Amino acid sequence: MAVRFRVLGPLEVVRDGGAPIRLPSGMQRIALATLLLYPNQPVVADGLIERMWGDDTPDDPRGALHTHLTRLRRTLSKDLIESSGGGYLLRADEDSLDLINFRDLVARGRRDSAAEKSLLTQALALWRGPALANVDSDALHRDEVAELEEEHRHAQERWFELALRAGEGPAIISRLKAAVVASPMSERLSGQLMIALYQAGRQAEALEVYEGLRVTLRDELGLEPGQGIRQAHAQVLSQDVPRLGGDLSGDREQAAVAHVPVPAELPAKVATFTGRHHQAQALLDSLRDGRTTVAAISGPGGIGKSALALHVAHRLAAGFPDGQLYLDLNGSASDVPPLEPAQALRRLLRSLGVVPAAVSAEPGEAARLLRSLTAGRRMLFLLDNVRDVAQVRDLLPGGAGCRVLLTSRRLLADLDGAEHVQLDVFSPEESYELLERLVGAARLAAEPQAAAQVVRHCGGLPLAVNIAATRLVSRPAWPISVLADRLAAQHRRMNELSAGDRAIRDTFTTSYQQLQTERHGAAATRVFDLLGLFDGADLGTDTVAALADLPAERAWELLELLADVRLLQTHEPGRYRMHHLARLFARERAATRGPDAPQAVRRVLHHFLATARRAVRLLNPHPEWPVAIAPLAAVHAGSRLAGPQAAREWADAEAPNLVAVVRQAAESGDDDLTIGLAAAFSHLMLDRGRWDQVRQIRRVAAHVLQHPAAERAGLGVPLSSRTHLAVASRILLPDKASLG
């Protein structure tokens, strides 16, 4: 039986027949309410934990959360709440959740002016009192419910406006009075009540409403009423009030701005800022001389985007005397959802002194107000952790004297007129310098080799270096070699790169969770997981197609999506690279893929075998032994190669991977496959003059050829091919006697 939810008032859960479902646990009510406020969106575990326990978290918060969600699923329906990445998602629609119905009715009203009042009447009728009044969570009411109540108030104001325009003022006075009591500093509601009273012939009461508002604003905010409501007051006095109920806040924004200090909201500068000198200077030059008004810094998580933006913003700040605004848009947060444009606009306008009552719920109107207030000013905006262009487009100021710095994991390529700075990993020298500044030069000088190992294991990722430094600073008695040794073990490196509230795993988790919400996100996350299983450093489209058992075109689309969210880097068309820490994260995810994982590895190794043999035949029409060594047949067809030149190009493109592929085959225990790969790869690398790779491939093959298990199995080579084995042995074991 279906379940219906109501959040526009006390939280209620009922079955289709009307029977209520009791939720005696306060924690389960908080969890359910949080999921209902973000219907059909994943809510990460940390966000649920914060709203359920605040600062008083249990010893095992994730375990406790899992217990509560399991019980909640049992009470409701197992299908309603789904696990999603590192959190949970609740499925709902307008029939099952009053919040979705409310927002749908309001949106339909905006599109249909003839039916707007009727639709708003239906929307407002869904409200049964203060939202989630029976859910005890300070964080939830502060961050989410307050925004929801704002939506309610704006819908009320619009309904009152339409009623007043229709001359229905006398009939709505009681409702307006209740609304004013709930929002005593709303100039728009007070102005609408004045007009309704005037329409009812109650002029004196209308003037009393104005006087009450004036006293409240003066006592609470130190402000005088705005121009719009002052004009309404004058019209009531002169008995010349038009039959309308528009926005009476007038120039309330300008009045408010005059009474607030100049905003100076930049977080503290990063004292240990290191590197990025060229990028910082380029940003300073272009923003100072006006070549650009908007600069966007992009790159993977943990790459240092915010640190660079803050460094540049502090150096620019003195040139923007009208203020510096900072807003974290939560586009890269793992514990809270990204800010909606309307939420972000309200916060920016609040920083400019606009009282909440004067901010329209319609993002377009609020954006126009922001542009009006910033026109003619010199202001600096730092908008941090932008999710995408749609989130930030309405947040840009209107003045030519304003400048905007953005940070985002995505390249915001469709942001008109923006200058783009894309960050890559630190060089080893920059990473060492950062570690030195954080830990101390003397300590690193005592163990330079161990320090270099720590730097190498961090892979040039500034966040990883910062976390490693935190570990060392918090353990002053540790030799650096202790951390270097612990980081050297791949199976625990992700765990070691965690300190306090910072963890490398969380950085990748955030991108992974965002990927899940994208179109084709499920397919892309599968590809990402499987990439963790392949040891090659440079990924071609055909390689990934074989790994994931996909057509090449489909693999390309998903690889491009992974590059968009910065889980991969693309360095040339059709070629991709993966940071080694991202690979470790992907490997953790791949462990959940069951039988898909070993089959994927087998496919990709046989893809290399089939393609390498095809290349050998194209370069040498009579190759004999390199293509006759077992296994005789590959389980994957490999890539098509049009001719000798295509074979050479494939060999050159895949050369960085071939040693890793042979090693991975050897580690899998498939001696036949290892020797087959080594034979074909050696031939190709000799043809291309890559002697170092030939030597490395031969060393791996030599180990397998000398292995007792391989000898007992006779390498699995048919008798008809043993003459070729003799040749292979002389080439792959140049210092050993033939095994043939």
Side-chain angles (χ1 to χ4, degrees):
M1 186 176 291
V3 179
R4 298 178 185 274
F5 302 96
R6 298 170 184 163
V7 298
L8 305 181
L11 175 63
E12 290 184 0
V13 185
V14 297
R15 301 202 185 277
D16 254 352
I21 299 175
R22 292 184 65 252
L23 296 173
S25 166
M27 290 301 173
Q28 290 177 33
R29 286 199 299 274
I30 296 171
L32 177 60
T34 304
L35 294 172
L36 289 170
L37 290 178
Y38 296 99
N40 306 309
Q41 302 178 53
V43 179
V44 295
D46 289 342
L48 287 164
I49 289 167
E50 180 187 358
R51 284 150 184 79
M52 292 168 71
W53 288 286
D55 295 329
D56 190 24
T57 54
D59 292 338
D60 180 13
R62 289 179 180 268
L65 174 65
H66 177 74
T67 299
H68 282 297
L69 266 295
T70 299
R71 291 172 180 169
L72 190 57
R73 283 168 160 163
R74 194 179 302 131
T75 301
L76 301 175
S77 169
K78 291 182 180 179
D79 298 334
L80 281 174
I81 300 175
E82 306 171 5
S83 296
S84 176
Y88 299 88
L89 176 149
L90 187 144
R91 297 288 180 191
D93 56 26
E94 64 273 10
D95 293 325
S96 61
L97 177 58
D98 57 356
L99 175 58
I100 296 179
N101 194 13
F102 169 75
R103 287 173 172 164
D104 180 62
L105 288 166
V106 172
R108 286 165 55 195
R110 292 194 191 106
R111 297 191 297 267
D112 186 351
S113 57
E116 184 178 12
K117 185 167 180 288
S118 172
L119 291 167
L120 283 174
T121 301
Q122 296 174 55
L124 293 170
L126 296 171
W127 284 78
R128 298 167 289 109
L132 299 172
N134 60 342
V135 177
D136 185 13
S137 169
D138 291 341
L140 191 69
H141 284 272
R142 179 189 66 238
D143 297 334
E144 280 90 8
V145 174
E147 300 284 355
L148 183 54
E149 292 288 356
E150 283 284 292
E151 292 183 49
H152 180 215
R153 184 175 61 79
H154 285 296
Q156 277 187 312
E157 290 172 351
R158 179 60 178 165
W159 186 88
F160 289 137
E161 177 183 341
L162 295 172
L164 290 171
R165 286 181 175 177
E168 300 171 3
I172 64 171
I173 288 173
S174 60
R175 293 181 63 175
L176 270 167
K177 283 185 174 181
V180 169
V181 169
S183 303
M185 287 185 284
S186 169
E187 295 188 22
R188 188 174 186 186
L189 286 172
S190 293
Q192 289 173 330
L193 177 57
M194 288 172 62
I195 292 175
L197 289 166
Y198 181 84
Q199 288 181 356
R202 297 155 66 176
Q203 181 184 16
E205 289 181 61
L207 296 173
E208 288 173 4
V209 170
Y210 176 82
E211 183 60 23
L213 173 68
R214 190 183 69 80
V215 171
T216 299
L217 290 175
R218 184 192 62 201
D219 293 347
E220 298 292 331
L221 300 176
L223 302 175
E224 290 297 321
Q227 179 181 346
I229 197 167
R230 291 201 306 270
Q231 182 179 355
H233 176 249
Q235 290 172 333
V236 170
L237 280 173
S238 63
Q239 300 185 14
D240 182 26
V241 179
R243 184 177 286 185
L244 53 82
D247 185 352
L248 298 168
S249 57
D251 66 346
R252 149 67 35 240
E253 302 82 14
Q254 297 293 344
V257 170
H259 293 269
V260 297
V262 173
E265 299 179 346
L266 295 179
K269 62 177 67 175
V270 181
T272 55
F273 181 79
T274 303
R276 311 296 191 202
H277 305 299
H278 173 73
Q279 295 95 327
Q281 193 58 52
L283 286 166
L284 288 167
D285 291 344
S286 59
L287 289 167
R288 278 173 175 159
D289 65 18
R291 276 179 287 162
T292 187
T293 58
V294 179
I297 303 170
S298 61
I303 205 73
K305 302 178 294 295
S306 297
L308 174 60
L310 274 173
H311 176 76
V312 171
H314 276 285
R315 293 186 60 182
L316 290 171
F320 296 91
D322 295 323
Q324 306 92 41
L325 272 63
Y326 173 85
L327 184 60
D328 186 346
L329 291 160
N330 297 333
S332 304
S334 62
D335 56 347
V336 290
L339 288 183
E340 294 296 328
Q343 293 175 296
L345 282 164
R346 279 195 286 274
R347 296 187 186 186
L348 289 173
L349 289 168
R350 193 180 308 148
S351 294
L352 294 172
V354 180
V355 295
V359 182
S360 170
E362 176 59 45
E365 292 183 22
R368 288 193 290 273
L369 174 58
L370 177 68
R371 292 193 292 272
S372 297
L373 291 177
T374 53
R377 296 189 182 187
R378 289 191 56 79
M379 302 191 75
L380 178 64
F381 285 58
L382 174 46
L383 305 179
D384 207 5
N385 295 312
V386 176
R387 179 182 171 113
D388 52 33
V389 172
Q391 186 189 29
V392 78
R393 187 173 278 121
D394 282 342
L395 309 185
L396 303 182
C402 294
R403 299 291 184 270
V404 182
L405 270 168
L406 308 169
T407 72
S408 177
R409 294 191 180 187
R410 293 174 180 263
L411 177 63
L412 305 175
D414 48 347
L415 190 61
D416 293 341
E419 178 174 319
H420 296 280
V421 174
Q422 299 185 61
L423 299 187
D424 201 350
V425 294
F426 271 176
S427 67
E429 294 75 21
E430 289 173 319
S431 295
Y432 195 95
E433 180 187 352
L434 177 58
L435 187 67
E436 186 177 61
R437 297 187 68 176
L438 292 165
V439 177
R443 194 170 174 188
L444 266 64
E447 295 182 86
Q449 291 184 336
Q453 290 173 10
V454 169
V455 162
R456 180 166 56 82
H457 295 318
C458 291
L461 207 58
L463 176 60
V465 177
N466 269 277
I467 292 172
T470 300
R471 297 288 309 279
L472 291 171
V473 170
S474 67
R475 297 290 186 273
W478 273 16
I480 296 176
S481 59
V482 171
L483 181 60
D485 290 344
R486 295 189 67 81
L487 288 173
Q490 288 192 3
H491 68 277
R492 65 185 177 205
R493 190 175 301 161
M494 297 294 282
N495 290 333
E496 293 298 323
L497 289 173
S498 174
D501 62 350
R502 297 185 300 176
I504 284 295
R505 184 181 284 107
D506 291 346
T507 296
F508 295 118
T509 297
T510 301
S511 294
Y512 192 87
Q513 289 172 342
Q514 291 179 355
L515 178 62
Q516 290 175 316
T517 66
E518 300 280 345
R519 186 167 176 260
H520 307 306
T525 53
R526 174 179 174 268
V527 168
F528 175 78
D529 295 351
L530 296 178
L531 290 177
L533 302 172
F534 177 59
D535 291 344
D538 195 284
L539 303 164
T541 302
D542 285 354
T543 299
V544 178
L547 184 72
D549 198 19
L550 294 170
E553 183 63 23
R554 177 63 169 159
W556 182 85
E557 293 171 356
L558 297 176
L559 286 165
E560 286 295 297
L561 179 53
L562 288 167
D564 285 343
V565 299
R566 299 306 176 96
L567 286 170
L568 292 179
Q569 294 78 48
T570 177
H571 55 95
E572 62 178 87
R575 306 294 304 186
Y576 303 85
R577 290 178 182 146
M578 193 178 210
H579 193 280
H580 80 263
L581 293 174
R583 187 185 307 281
L584 293 179
F585 176 76
R587 193 166 295 168
E588 291 179 350
R589 298 294 314 164
T592 67
R593 290 285 173 184
D596 198 15
Q599 293 171 8
V601 173
R602 187 164 183 259
R603 276 194 307 270
V604 75
L605 294 178
H606 278 261
H607 156 79
F608 272 93
L609 178 66
T611 310
R613 285 177 169 175
R614 187 169 293 124
V616 168
R617 289 190 181 98
L618 286 168
L619 295 173
N620 181 358
H622 307 290
E624 295 298 329
W625 73 268
V627 297
I629 292 295
L632 293 182
V635 300
H636 191 278
S639 298
R640 295 178 180 176
L641 301 173
Q645 183 58 30
R648 294 186 186 97
E649 290 173 357
W650 182 86
D652 289 340
E654 298 297 342
N657 296 320
L658 300 187
V659 175
V661 169
V662 174
R663 284 179 178 152
Q664 189 163 10
E667 290 168 2
S668 75
D670 191 335
D671 292 355
D672 288 359
L673 178 59
T674 305
I675 298 304
L677 288 166
F681 289 174
S682 291
H683 188 90
L684 289 174
M685 293 299 96
L686 284 168
D687 180 82
R688 306 307 296 151
R690 295 178 179 267
W691 311 111
D692 184 59
Q693 281 153 306
V694 172
R695 283 190 292 271
Q696 292 184 65
I697 290 168
R698 285 178 174 179
R699 276 198 291 269
V700 178
H703 175 76
V704 171
L705 285 167
Q706 296 167 25
H707 197 280
E711 291 178 4
R712 285 196 304 273
L715 297 176
V717 182
L719 291 175
S720 61
S721 298
R722 290 188 66 80
T723 55
H724 301 305
L725 177 58
V727 178
S729 299
R730 285 196 296 273
I731 294 176
L732 296 175
L733 288 169
D735 299 324
K736 301 292 183 181
S738 169
L739 295 176

